[in-house]
Amino acid sequence: MKRSSSHPTTTAPSGNNNFIGLSLIAVILFIYTFGLIESVWHLPTPNHRSRSWLRKLTKRQGNVSFGGNINIAKSGLLDVNEKEEGVGDVDEEDEEEPLNKGPIPEAQWPVSIRDEDGNFEEVIHPGHKAKGHPDVFMMLPRFWIDDPVAIHQNTLMSRDLAMKIGSCINPDEHGTKARGDDCPLSERTIYVAIASYRDWQCRDTVTSIFSRAQHPERVRVGVVDQIVEGEDGPCDAPYKPCSEDPEQTLCKYKSQLDVFQVDAPLSIGPVFARHIGHRMYRGEYYYMQSDAHVTFTRNWDEDIIRQQEATKNEMAVLSTYLTDIDGSIDENGDSLRDTRPIMCNTDYEEGQDNRYLRHGSQPEAHPTIQNLLHTIARPDGTPQLQPYWAAGYSFSRGHFVVNVPYDFYQPMIFQGEEMSIGIRGFTIGYDFYAPERSVCFHHYAEGKNAKARNKVDISHEYIFFLLRSSGVKAMFRLLGVVHMNPEINPERWDHSEEEKYGLGGVRTPELFYDTFGIDVKNKVTEHHLCSFVETGKMHNEFTKFLRPDGMGIDYSKITYRFKDPWNAKNKVE
């Protein structure tokens, strides 16, 4: 027989227990729900902005901070909890006007995105957007120039316009730091972009860049540092506190190092990381892209600029796959090698429901092109013309970043980016060269470096499972933009901002494919292209048509079409 709930002698203790139990459950559910909202609705990436109502709930009290794990600190080494407000934590009505209003902003040096609180913008995380979740936002630096078409205008950029892009350390008599050719070589600034994924050698790479430069005062490094906080060391953290050893390179040059930190589990591949790196460019004279596990040679900056200028081509881009560090640099930082790789070997492979071109291993040999006046006073030859671009190392004038920005809409792309950037650059008028000498060397996951380089565990990172399928659509877009997948219905890929991240009007992708033996319909290539490139035949034949003003090679005058010389069918024809 049930007891009545009105019986005072038996229900009071039970009622109290039930009340206490329900209260505890309510508290636990509240904490869990709040934590879930905080985790899901806040993307723990640089300078994210929360929703207005949630921002009020998560307003910091003392040193307690909810969300926001990015630090672009004034010192370059400041902990995120030491900042009163994140760069992007501003209300809509409080946002300052962007700093890049004009076609070409005024050249500045020194410069840092840490000084640009009003020059960030809220964007939808591209991986989540591709998955149909357009409610995850992040704050990113605005491009120095937001509209590349306003610069190249789908035609060949004029030399006068090119000379307006690129800062000099010291101004001319009019106070202008965009001095073009009049800027002395030793005063031309360099922006180095590094995309780092949980890379324990990143800070060593940055240290090498500054410590081995002939003129470190003209170098600025921008790192997109994708790490697991508490497990990975930040790229800008010296091995000792700066207060103990202020002479450490990362301490001496911290004002020239911008680190944009991203939670590694929310990374969506190298293309997006390098996209952020392009956003961090601020008008430097030269642009260099490097991996995060690279060691540089002594006076690398002076050497690579001398090589760049030896091409006499304003549209030259020096790019290569780097040689392994083993046996390449002596204890003084000087190169032990007189060979260099050249980009000429690529073929189709299959992945992400597509067939695309991927570079293979590249031949390395002594430079073929030598200076005819090879003397002690002029010991250099010149970089050698090649058809392809490589992501691991690239050096060019700064306007290459402006005109060919990494595509925002390519999440989860791990292969194919090199053909995308290379062909887009080709259509805008850029020419690619193999450096005559290597100024840095790569720590590959091979030999004695294999164990250390392969230690990063990504198996727990949910982004690879949640967003992997978005890479298929991104690959459709990557190939579609450069006309490499004519068999795919264009409705299957995203056309957002295609003009911004698309082609130029100087040359067509079809001209590139025809010239270098690529059949995009049947997905085959003419093999043995290196017989034309590595030997110097391409360089000698094509550089004859370098425009008199140095604004790239005029392909309208080139009728050559490569055919595999070892193919019996081609010999018969």
Side-chain angles (χ1 to χ4, degrees):
M1 181 176 181
K2 291 185 179 180
R3 295 187 176 181
S4 170
S5 62
S6 62
H7 198 293
T9 59
T10 58
T11 59
S14 176
N16 287 338
N17 289 338
N18 288 340
F19 177 77
I20 293 172
L22 290 172
S23 298
L24 289 173
I25 292 172
V27 171
I28 292 171
L29 286 174
F30 175 79
I31 294 173
Y32 177 81
T33 303
F34 188 85
L36 182 63
I37 292 173
E38 180 67 23
S39 300
V40 175
W41 286 60
H42 274 70
L43 178 65
T45 52
N47 307 294
H48 77 319
R49 181 188 303 163
S50 61
R51 299 175 185 279
S52 59
W53 64 271
L54 192 56
R55 183 166 61 248
K56 293 176 182 177
L57 287 177
T58 59
K59 187 175 181 180
R60 296 179 185 181
Q61 303 293 333
N63 288 328
V64 180
S65 171
F66 296 96
N69 66 330
I70 278 304
N71 171 31
I72 305 182
K74 294 292 180 182
S75 68
L77 301 171
L78 190 63
D79 184 83
V80 65
N81 285 331
E82 296 177 29
K83 293 193 69 180
E84 283 297 322
E85 298 291 340
V87 173
D89 291 335
V90 293
D91 291 324
E92 299 287 346
E93 61 270 18
D94 295 332
E95 283 196 14
E96 301 175 24
E97 287 205 19
L99 304 180
N100 47 2
K101 292 170 59 179
I104 300 180
E106 180 182 358
Q108 300 181 33
W109 188 266
V111 66
S112 170
I113 63 171
R114 296 188 302 273
D115 303 324
E116 299 179 354
D117 286 2
N119 208 32
F120 284 68
E121 63 178 320
E122 183 179 73
V123 301
I124 299 174
H125 184 274
H128 286 272
K129 180 180 181 181
K131 290 292 290 181
H133 305 144
D135 57 349
V136 181
F137 297 87
M138 50 193 308
M139 296 296 295
L140 297 180
R142 285 188 171 93
F143 282 107
W144 185 65
I145 294 178
D146 188 62
D147 183 10
V149 181
I151 302 302
H152 64 70
Q153 298 183 352
N154 287 319
T155 187
L156 182 64
M157 181 173 57
S158 71
R159 187 172 184 85
D160 287 343
L161 185 60
M163 292 298 105
K164 295 178 181 178
I165 298 176
S167 58
C168 195
I169 289 180
N170 296 309
D172 61 16
E173 63 272 19
H174 304 293
T176 301
K177 291 189 176 180
R179 298 171 59 184
D181 289 333
D182 292 335
C183 182
L185 294 183
S186 61
E187 296 183 19
R188 296 180 181 184
T189 58
I190 304 173
Y191 169 64
V192 184
I194 298 175
S196 175
Y197 182 82
R198 305 193 65 188
D199 202 314
W200 53 274
Q201 290 181 297
C202 182
R203 55 183 165 180
D204 297 329
T205 297
V206 174
T207 297
S208 173
I209 289 170
F210 283 115
S211 64
R212 293 268 173 87
Q214 175 73 17
H215 298 286
E217 69 278 1
R218 50 103 165 267
V219 178
R220 173 175 159 263
V221 178
V223 180
V224 180
D225 200 16
Q226 303 159 104
I227 64 173
V228 175
E229 200 162 1
E231 295 184 21
D232 307 316
C235 192
D236 58 350
Y239 288 100
K240 297 179 182 178
C242 291
S243 58
E244 294 183 12
D245 186 1
E247 290 304 307
Q248 294 174 97
T249 299
L250 291 180
C251 300
K252 290 173 63 177
Y253 298 102
K254 62 185 179 183
S255 64
Q256 294 164 238
L257 173 59
D258 285 342
V259 175
F260 197 86
Q261 186 175 310
V262 182
D263 264 6
L266 293 173
S267 301
I268 51 174
V271 172
F272 185 57
R274 288 169 176 151
H275 168 87
I276 299 175
H278 275 200
R279 283 174 171 266
M280 296 165 71
Y281 169 78
R282 286 297 177 265
E284 286 83 357
Y285 201 98
Y286 297 107
Y287 166 75
M288 184 168 76
Q289 179 170 305
S290 168
D291 283 343
H293 33 275
V294 171
T295 297
F296 283 76
T297 59
R298 187 165 58 93
N299 300 334
W300 65 266
D301 55 328
E302 185 179 64
D303 190 355
I304 197 66
I305 289 176
R306 190 165 65 244
Q307 293 186 55
Q308 174 81 15
E309 297 305 314
T311 67
K312 302 186 184 303
N313 186 347
E314 177 69 16
M315 307 298 282
V317 181
L318 278 55
S319 185
T320 190
Y321 278 180
L322 298 176
T323 302
D324 189 78
I325 184 69
D326 192 26
S328 296
I329 300 181
D330 67 17
E331 59 184 11
N332 297 318
D334 294 320
S335 175
L336 296 173
R337 296 189 180 274
D338 55 5
T339 60
R340 54 90 184 99
I342 188 166
M343 302 296 298
C344 56
N345 182 31
T346 193
D347 210 340
Y348 276 94
E349 74 170 21
E350 190 166 349
Q352 294 183 297
D353 292 348
N354 286 274
R355 286 185 61 80
Y356 52 83
L357 286 171
R358 181 183 180 184
H359 300 324
S361 60
Q362 305 300 321
E364 179 165 357
H366 293 93
T368 304
I369 307 302
Q370 297 292 331
N371 197 319
L372 294 178
L373 299 177
H374 190 85
T375 63
I376 295 178
R378 295 186 61 188
D380 299 339
T382 178
Q384 187 169 328
L385 201 63
Q386 62 187 17
Y388 298 125
W389 179 83
Y393 183 81
S394 179
F395 188 89
S396 64
R397 286 280 276 112
H399 49 69
F400 182 68
V401 182
V402 173
N403 287 324
V404 198
Y406 263 93
D407 194 342
F408 177 78
Y409 301 92
Q410 292 181 4
M412 306 309 291
I413 292 294
F414 296 89
Q415 303 296 341
E417 63 166 298
E418 294 171 315
M419 295 305 300
S420 172
I421 293 290
I423 294 171
R424 286 172 54 207
F426 175 85
T427 67
I428 294 170
Y430 290 97
D431 302 308
F432 305 110
Y433 292 76
E436 184 187 14
R437 293 174 301 281
S438 297
V439 299
C440 55
F441 296 92
H442 195 280
H443 293 259
Y444 288 101
E446 298 175 351
K448 64 181 182 181
N449 294 323
K451 184 177 181 180
R453 291 291 328 151
N454 286 323
K455 70 177 184 179
V456 175
D457 178 23
I458 64 172
S459 61
H460 70 287
E461 297 180 4
Y462 76 89
I463 194 71
F464 285 91
F465 301 99
L466 283 181
L467 304 179
R468 183 175 293 169
S469 63
S470 66
V472 174
K473 293 182 179 179
M475 182 61 79
F476 284 149
R477 174 185 170 99
L478 182 152
L479 298 175
V481 166
V482 296
H483 304 175
M484 200 177 283
N485 58 355
E487 73 283 359
I488 298 298
N489 187 334
E491 294 181 359
R492 297 186 65 184
W493 47 277
D494 187 356
H495 293 266
S496 299
E497 297 190 279
E498 187 177 342
E499 188 175 38
K500 179 176 182 176
Y501 300 114
L503 306 175
V506 180
R507 309 161 183 153
T508 65
E510 289 73 21
L511 176 60
F512 182 89
Y513 304 141
D514 290 345
T515 302
F516 299 110
I518 300 169
D519 184 344
V520 297
K521 292 182 179 179
N522 296 308
K523 313 301 181 191
V524 294
T525 64
E526 295 284 343
H527 292 167
H528 304 107
L529 179 61
C530 290
S531 65
F532 175 61
V533 177
E534 186 183 9
T535 57
K537 293 179 181 178
M538 176 185 175
H539 183 95
N540 290 328
E541 290 299 319
F542 287 14
T543 55
K544 295 176 183 177
F545 304 105
L546 178 64
R547 294 183 177 88
D549 62 356
M551 293 304 292
I553 293 172
D554 187 353
Y555 270 74
S556 69
K557 298 180 179 179
I558 296 174
T559 59
Y560 179 87
R561 299 294 181 263
F562 176 76
K563 296 293 183 181
D564 184 354
W566 293 6
N567 188 316
K569 179 181 177 181
N570 292 332
K571 291 180 180 179
V572 172
E573 293 176 350

